[in-house]
Amino acid sequence: YLREIEEICWSLINRGEGELTFDRNPYRTLIEMYDLKGDYRREAEVLKAVQRSYPNDPDLKKRIAQLESLSQAGAGAAHSDSIRRQSK
């Protein structure tokens, strides 16, 4: 079900049909979904799409940087866990 919602939202965004000013929009839906899943890389991708409309927003730039840092830290932790499991 979530995969279907994700596909619909990205389709709307890619067609330019996602209105950022509406409370319920595909950007917000994806951001919330990825945040709940802890998928910071994908959440940053959505915010980069938003950034095309607001290229000079410092809060947006800061949040993207935070998410990219979390994503890299998570990838490093997952890699370390994988190495530890293999060595046992």
Side-chain angles (χ1 to χ4, degrees):
Y1 179 72
L2 289 177
R3 183 74 179 149
E4 190 174 328
I5 292 171
E6 181 181 26
E7 289 174 7
I8 291 168
C9 288
W10 276 114
S11 177
L12 289 168
I13 290 169
N14 291 332
R15 291 193 318 251
E17 296 179 24
E19 180 56 54
L20 287 167
T21 59
F22 294 153
D23 185 43
R24 284 280 126 213
N25 63 65
Y27 298 95
R28 181 180 300 271
T29 300
L30 288 172
I31 289 167
E32 290 174 2
M33 187 171 71
Y34 293 142
D35 189 57
L36 287 171
K37 290 171 49 177
D39 191 341
Y40 304 119
R41 182 186 61 81
R42 297 298 307 263
E43 187 176 349
E45 287 176 18
V46 177
L47 290 177
K48 286 177 183 178
V50 172
Q51 194 175 37
R52 288 189 290 253
S53 297
Y54 303 98
N56 298 316
D57 185 315
D59 293 328
L60 193 53
K61 289 178 184 181
K62 182 179 176 181
R63 182 63 180 152
I64 290 169
Q66 288 172 336
L67 290 168
E68 288 176 340
S69 178
L70 286 169
S71 177
Q72 291 172 356
H79 180 70
S80 295
D81 288 346
S82 175
I83 291 172
R84 270 189 244 120
R85 280 193 299 266
Q86 291 175 3
S87 65
K88 289 184 178 183

